[in-house]
Amino acid sequence: MTVAGGRAACPTPFRCGAGTRYGPRRWVEVPRPAMPSGGGKEPKTMPVPVPRPRAIPAVESGQAQAASTGGRTPAEHSEARAAHTRDAAENTTNTIDSADTGKPRNAETARNTAENSTPTNLTLLLIEDDPAGPPIVPDLLDQAGKPIRVRTARNLTEAERLLTDDVHCILLDLALPAPGRAGDGDDDELAVLRHVLELAPRHAVLALTASNDAERGAEAVRVGAQDYLFRDELDGRLLSRAIRYAVERKRSESAERRLAEGRLRAQENRRLERGLLPTPLLEGSPLRFAARYRPGRSRALLGGDFYDVVRTPDGTVHAMIGDVCGHGPDEAALGVELRIAWRALTLAGLCGDELLGTLQEVLEHERSDDEIFATLCAVDIAPDGRRAGLCLAGHPAPLIAAPGRPARLLPYDNNGPALGLLPGARWPRMQVELGAEWTLMLYTDGLIEGRVGAGRERLGQEGMVEMVRRQLAQGLRGEELLQAAVNEVRDLNGGELTDDVAVLLLDRVP
């Protein structure tokens, strides 16, 4: 039965409230809940929609070809469907990775993972300008027997569009003209290869040339290709092996390059850190100097501790040691800035409270966080070497030892606050008598905060004084004394110390 317009009429009229309805969905009947008591109505049934299962097209189930592919051939349609499947699989993998790690994988991590792992499904990009000719690439299988996917580009512009991250190797016909070079008489026969290497620096490249042009193929390898093949001698087994070899060689070269770059950066960092360590300026002074520095960061040369010693033109020897709270590279950089500022201010003639006040201003401007502070101990020794001025900014007091007198700590009653804690703070300078012969040791808290044994007991200042007394009694002086002190503290701690350690020693022998 038909109605006006040629549409088919329903075989039965649409009945309101009927048990079955016609339309795009199937309907079933379920009992309507009963009304509350006193409603006065009987339970009724109402239709509930149930989605109709979608019919699978024959082209998707593989039982028939698609009726229309948008102007593409069946092979192209299959390739597009395969690419869509690969994209979906890759998106699923990325989603799983993000769920496992709690954060999305960035492009750099994904690229490094792809470079460092052996690919399971290889993809080859063929760049040649004669697609109508006989096929250059035969059927290819990877090491697991799976087919190698092949994409074909007729020029470099099309190759750039097809060059995605899932391409593992490029097979380049060296007879292909480079962009903008066709017929211009350029003598560079490998211009197209150089362009591809710039376009795809992370991909393996195989050069394809004629069998009578082996010299050109060897030159292509010297320029940057992983290998070269003769166009008229290709077979599936040879090409499959060459692709696998090129991919592995490129991966090995990339890993070796990253390793070399990492070693170079490490060497540069070590040289930089060594350059940031101070060079004492004690020319003309009778005092002997020794120092030990051990950063708490693993494989670092510089930590948050800093020290310096300079002699001013009037003969006064100024020594300083300090400690920035924290152990990271930012704290190490701040320590270097404070040391350089202290040396400049000292050579400019500042001393005591005036110097520390200016140094606090430098700290407040250079620190990355308002909670960062630094402790500091500054000593200025008179030209005759018998007296010294002492300023403490939240730092442990120095240790002094002299013949006939046991090692002891210098007075620290007037210890001022650490730099960066109190704006407008003052740091009084104390006068200390040293004597004719003495040993003065300045240190950071890393030397006294190490543990003693497996318990929670710390070495402390008293334990350090007793240790130095014993070592002095053994006749240790200078470098030997510092080395023995640091080694014993490390042994008492049961291993490497977690905090930075800096120790500075000045000896006066008449």
Side-chain angles (χ1 to χ4, degrees):
M1 177 180 178
T2 60
V3 295
R7 293 177 298 173
C10 296
T12 58
F14 185 89
R15 294 180 292 115
C16 181
T20 303
R21 297 185 181 182
Y22 292 96
R25 296 177 180 267
R26 293 181 300 161
W27 296 77
V28 296
E29 294 182 352
V30 296
R32 177 180 295 176
M35 296 294 293
S37 177
K41 296 183 180 180
E42 295 295 329
K44 295 184 179 180
T45 60
M46 62 179 296
V48 176
V50 177
R52 176 182 299 171
R54 185 179 69 89
I56 301 177
V59 66
E60 295 186 14
S61 62
Q63 299 176 1
Q65 298 289 343
S68 174
T69 59
R72 294 181 293 184
T73 64
E76 292 175 341
H77 186 77
S78 300
E79 174 65 22
R81 188 168 64 252
H84 176 75
T85 304
R86 288 195 306 271
D87 294 340
E90 291 173 0
N91 291 336
T92 303
T93 303
N94 291 337
T95 303
I96 294 175
D97 290 342
S98 300
D100 292 340
T101 59
K103 58 183 179 181
R105 173 184 293 180
N106 55 38
E108 183 67 23
T109 303
R111 181 164 60 249
N112 291 338
T113 302
E115 290 181 359
N116 293 331
S117 60
T118 303
T120 54
N121 294 324
L122 295 177
T123 300
L124 174 69
L125 176 60
L126 171 63
I127 307 177
E128 56 97 13
D129 61 349
D130 190 16
I136 296 180
V137 178
D139 293 336
L140 302 175
L141 299 177
D142 61 13
Q143 195 170 5
K146 298 180 180 179
I148 297 177
R149 297 188 294 265
V150 179
R151 299 178 184 175
T152 303
R154 294 171 293 180
N155 50 57
L156 295 182
T157 302
E158 188 174 346
E160 185 174 1
R161 180 177 58 84
L162 297 176
L163 188 61
T164 55
D165 288 338
D166 60 341
V167 173
H168 303 99
C169 185
I170 299 173
L171 181 58
L172 173 64
D173 189 354
L174 295 181
L176 189 72
R181 298 179 183 268
D184 62 355
D186 198 300
D187 294 335
D188 189 359
E189 297 180 346
L190 298 178
V192 62
L193 175 61
R194 300 180 196 275
H195 186 86
V196 170
L197 292 176
E198 294 178 0
L199 185 66
R202 296 183 296 105
H203 293 75
V205 178
L206 289 173
L208 196 61
T209 185
S211 58
N212 58 354
D213 201 1
E215 184 177 351
R216 188 181 185 186
E219 181 64 23
V221 174
R222 285 192 291 270
V223 169
Q226 273 60 58
D227 203 349
Y228 70 93
L229 301 169
F230 295 135
R231 187 182 298 103
D232 50 355
E233 296 181 6
L234 285 182
D235 60 65
R237 183 178 180 182
L238 173 63
L239 184 54
S240 298
R241 185 171 65 236
I243 293 173
R244 294 196 302 269
Y245 168 78
V247 170
E248 291 301 322
R249 182 177 177 182
K250 184 64 177 181
R251 186 176 67 89
S252 177
E253 291 175 353
S254 300
E256 185 176 354
R257 184 185 67 255
R258 288 194 299 271
L259 181 61
E261 292 174 351
R263 288 173 177 170
L264 181 60
R265 284 194 298 268
Q267 292 174 0
E268 292 175 348
N269 290 338
R270 284 193 293 269
R271 287 196 296 268
L272 178 61
E273 290 182 335
R274 288 194 192 99
L276 294 176
L277 290 174
T279 301
L281 301 179
L282 287 175
E283 185 177 358
S285 173
L287 302 182
R288 295 185 302 183
F289 167 82
R292 278 288 179 273
Y293 192 93
R294 187 187 298 271
R297 290 186 296 140
S298 176
R299 287 188 284 182
L301 295 178
L302 202 62
D305 292 1
F306 55 98
Y307 66 90
D308 203 356
V309 178
V310 298
R311 180 179 181 268
T312 51
D314 62 354
T316 303
V317 174
H318 302 261
M320 174 273 298
I321 195 167
D323 181 8
V324 178
C325 67
H327 309 287
D330 293 337
E331 289 76 12
L334 182 57
V336 172
E337 293 174 349
L338 293 177
R339 179 188 66 79
I340 295 174
W342 177 88
R343 173 175 285 199
L345 294 172
T346 300
L347 294 176
L350 275 69
C351 184
D353 180 73
E354 185 181 9
L355 187 150
L356 293 183
T358 308
L359 208 59
Q360 174 164 274
E361 293 183 13
V362 174
L363 170 65
E364 291 172 348
H365 284 89
E366 297 296 332
R367 61 186 176 184
S368 58
D369 190 282
D370 291 341
E371 297 182 356
I372 293 179
F373 62 91
T375 64
L376 188 137
C377 169
V379 177
D380 56 279
I381 303 170
D384 62 3
R386 293 178 173 271
R387 301 177 309 277
L390 174 64
C391 286
L392 296 175
H395 201 86
L399 179 146
I400 186 170
R405 291 184 296 175
R408 60 186 175 86
L409 297 176
L410 290 179
Y412 51 89
D413 298 335
N414 292 330
N415 196 337
L419 303 179
L421 290 183
L422 298 177
R426 304 298 298 271
W427 296 271
R429 179 177 178 272
M430 297 178 291
Q431 190 73 20
V432 179
E433 294 294 331
L434 300 178
E437 182 178 352
W438 45 263
T439 297
L440 185 65
M441 188 173 79
L442 285 66
Y443 54 92
T444 57
D445 58 2
L447 187 68
I448 60 178
E449 291 186 350
R451 299 185 183 276
V452 179
R456 304 182 61 181
E457 181 184 358
R458 304 281 184 174
L459 177 63
Q461 288 181 291
E462 294 181 359
M464 181 203 65
V465 172
E466 292 297 329
M467 177 188 68
V468 173
R469 286 176 180 174
R470 185 176 64 255
Q471 293 169 347
L472 287 172
Q474 297 172 0
L476 300 178
R477 297 292 186 275
E479 294 278 356
E480 294 180 352
L481 176 61
L482 291 187
Q483 188 64 43
V486 173
N487 289 343
E488 184 169 342
V489 170
R490 182 183 57 189
D491 294 340
L492 291 174
N493 188 65
E496 291 294 338
L497 300 168
T498 58
D499 198 3
D500 303 331
V501 176
V503 189
L504 171 64
L505 197 69
L506 288 172
D507 287 322
R508 184 177 189 270
V509 180

